[in-house]
DNA sequence: CCCTTTTGACTAATCGGTTAGTAAGTACAT
DNA sequence: ATGTACTTACTAACCGATTAGTCAAAAGGG
């Protein structure tokens, strides 16, 4: 009857995270209840509470779960050429998400809870710092090897973050995946205008 | 006992909208209930239901309420110089919000409900189209008068929208109003690089 | 007197969370 | 191998609180 009548499912925690994912996708954060998660899990609500004391604990664990997924998709690439490295990183931030639209929605929605949840804010800030660090590193490398102009690394990294966030937000709100494409182009234009040495 | 024991408050609808605003700011969308709105309103929940049949009706009306406020802050400026007009428009989209942080939070939060609420999506799309129209108009005027290069108006307008949305999102999530400043600078850099004729 | 507005009391449903108890598996000494 | 003890993973039933929404009655100004 179940959709995966195969082998035993290993970790209940992992299963609950996936169930939370599905429940969130279907009902949205505001209407996300233990009951709905339990339904997706295929077990009782008490089963959820056996593994997670409170709803808050579960949601915090879930945020860690999806941010880990995000980190995986952005994971660094093996290239020594700074320009190519930056291009690939921006691709991962702006092109890849099209295949992970659900992840994008989940992240956006939980992010909008930041003003009301300290746990969420802490984790999103840390995640943001990580991505910004990746960008800064690539830009710095480019400057050191003379491929990029000697610009304000912090400013450029932040500017690119703004473009990335804007594009991802718009890709979710208006499902025009178009905006990811436009953003990719905009980011490229910005990099060329602000970074690439033209002397 | 009330905080405004002055004159008679005219429109109950307006008062309820303001109460909703306060309740939303304090508890967040996910924990926004009729009871909390009624508490802010200073009346019973039944009083709310007298003016709005359902919670959904109220929230849709509230979205119209805040989007109208947004439109007011962006309202066009009287200038004929395209470059100055664009600068002022970007200022309104990126500098002004610092004095309306609450409005920004409310909009962001309701926007993240778009995937689950058709009414919301419709209104946000219309609002977005309006802002984009303003941008396109200014850019077109600049091109016509030769101040701007003959660029793809649609693309540039969309690129600026991405920057604006990204900045506003980041300004809410990380309270660094810094990001609005950075975005303002980034937008200016982008305009210079992509629009201003340099021949 | 009427009409708008508001209240208090209510309902059915759902909320997050607790409880006692069960079934299956593991560990280990005998 | 067998009995005992303990752990993991769960269920059914239930808890008090809260949810959105209803309705008859009452308040109160024109």
């Amino acid at each position: 009857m179940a959709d995966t009548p195969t082998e035993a499912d290993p970790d209940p925690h992992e299963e609950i995270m996936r169930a939370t994912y599905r429940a969130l996708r279907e009902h949205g954060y505001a209407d996300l209840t233990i009951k709905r998660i339990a339904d997706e899990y295929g077990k009782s609500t008490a089963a959820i509470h056996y593994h997670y004391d409170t709803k808050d604990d579960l949601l915090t664990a879930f945020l860690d779960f999806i941010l880990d997924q995000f980190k995986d998709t952005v994971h660094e690439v093996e290239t020594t050429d700074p320009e190519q490295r930056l291009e690939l990183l921006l691709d991962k931030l702006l092109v890849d998400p099209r295949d992970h639209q659900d992840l994008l929605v989940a992240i956006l929605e939980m992010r909008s809870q930041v003003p009301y949840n300290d746990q969420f804010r802490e984790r999103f800030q840390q995640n943001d710092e990580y991505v910004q660090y990746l960008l800064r590193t690539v830009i710095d490398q480019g400057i050191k090897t003379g491929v990029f102009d000697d610009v304000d690394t912090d400013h450029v990294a932040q500017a690119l973050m703004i473009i990335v966030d804007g594009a991802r937000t718009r890709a979710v709100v208006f499902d025009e995946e178009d905006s990811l494409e436009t953003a990719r182009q905009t980011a490229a234009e910005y990099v060329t205008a602000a970074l690439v040495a033209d002397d």
Side-chain angles (χ1 to χ4, degrees), chain A residues 82-101:
Chain A
E83 217 167 345
Q84 196 179 346
R85 256 182 85 196
L86 183 56
E87 292 300 313
L88 283 169
L89 186 52
L90 287 172
D91 274 345
K92 288 186 173 192
L93 287 168
L94 289 171
V95 180
D96 231 54
R98 285 192 307 200
D99 308 324
H100 303 76
Q101 181 79 4

Side-chain angles (χ1 to χ4, degrees), chain A residues 42-108:
Chain A
K43 310 266 169 81
S44 68
T45 63
I48 303 284
H49 279 296
Y50 172 78
H51 294 285
Y52 298 93
D53 281 353
T54 66
K55 189 187 180 187
D56 218 70
D57 286 348
L58 191 157
L59 290 180
T60 302
F62 178 69
L63 180 55
D64 286 335
F65 176 73
I66 56 173
L67 285 185
D68 276 352
Q69 271 185 252
F70 171 75
K71 263 177 100 170
D72 284 346
T73 69
V74 186
H75 214 60
E76 267 286 40
V77 74
E78 306 296 334
T79 313
T80 45
D81 176 38
E83 217 167 345
Q84 196 179 346
R85 256 182 85 196
L86 183 56
E87 292 300 313
L88 283 169
L89 186 52
L90 287 172
D91 274 345
K92 288 186 173 192
L93 287 168
L94 289 171
V95 180
D96 231 54
R98 285 192 307 200
D99 308 324
H100 303 76
Q101 181 79 4
D102 289 341
L103 183 61
L104 224 55
V105 175
I107 289 179
L108 177 80

